[in-house]
Amino acid sequence: MLSELQLRTDGVSKPNKPKSNVGERNRKKELRTLADTIARYGRKVHQRYPTGDVVGSERDLAEQLRKRPDTVATALNLLLGEQKVQKAPLSGYWKLNV
């Protein structure tokens, strides 16, 4: 039981939070931030070139945002669930809905 409790100096004990939950929350927060950054990037490109669709590859977005391609793919799948992006016919490419 003592391994699950952290003793404080006032004698009151409180349960330790598992570090995995903190890491998971940080990962989700980072993915949400990356997804928002991708959406902003799509809007910015659309403002610059308003007549066409904004299409980008996972690899190009990863290089542009300095993130790993698998992390970018996960963030894009998060946006897919929110209908902010669509998969393009070409593998690894996405159309950003702006």
Side-chain angles (χ1 to χ4, degrees):
M1 182 106 173
L2 285 177
S3 64
E4 296 178 14
L5 298 177
Q6 175 184 5
L7 295 176
R8 295 187 343 200
T9 55
D10 60 1
V12 178
S13 59
K14 67 175 190 172
N16 285 331
K17 289 188 178 185
K19 290 184 181 183
S20 62
N21 286 346
V22 174
E24 185 67 25
R25 266 186 277 144
N26 288 342
R27 186 178 184 287
K28 285 182 180 181
K29 190 174 183 180
E30 181 182 330
L31 279 175
R32 178 78 257 165
T33 302
L34 180 58
D36 292 341
T37 301
I38 291 170
R40 275 194 313 272
Y41 175 75
R43 286 191 298 273
K44 181 179 163 184
V45 170
H46 184 67
Q47 284 177 347
R48 191 168 188 180
Y49 305 102
T51 58
D53 293 333
V54 179
V55 177
S57 74
E58 294 169 2
R59 180 162 287 177
D60 289 341
L61 285 170
E63 287 177 13
Q64 181 75 24
L65 302 172
R66 295 187 175 107
K67 298 289 181 183
R68 293 177 37 176
D70 60 326
T71 305
V72 170
T74 304
L76 285 165
N77 280 314
L78 179 66
L79 291 171
L80 180 65
E82 299 169 358
Q83 298 180 348
K84 293 183 178 181
V85 298
Q86 298 173 2
K87 287 189 177 187
L90 192 57
S91 178
Y93 283 80
W94 296 76
K95 176 184 176 269
L96 288 90
N97 299 331
V98 287

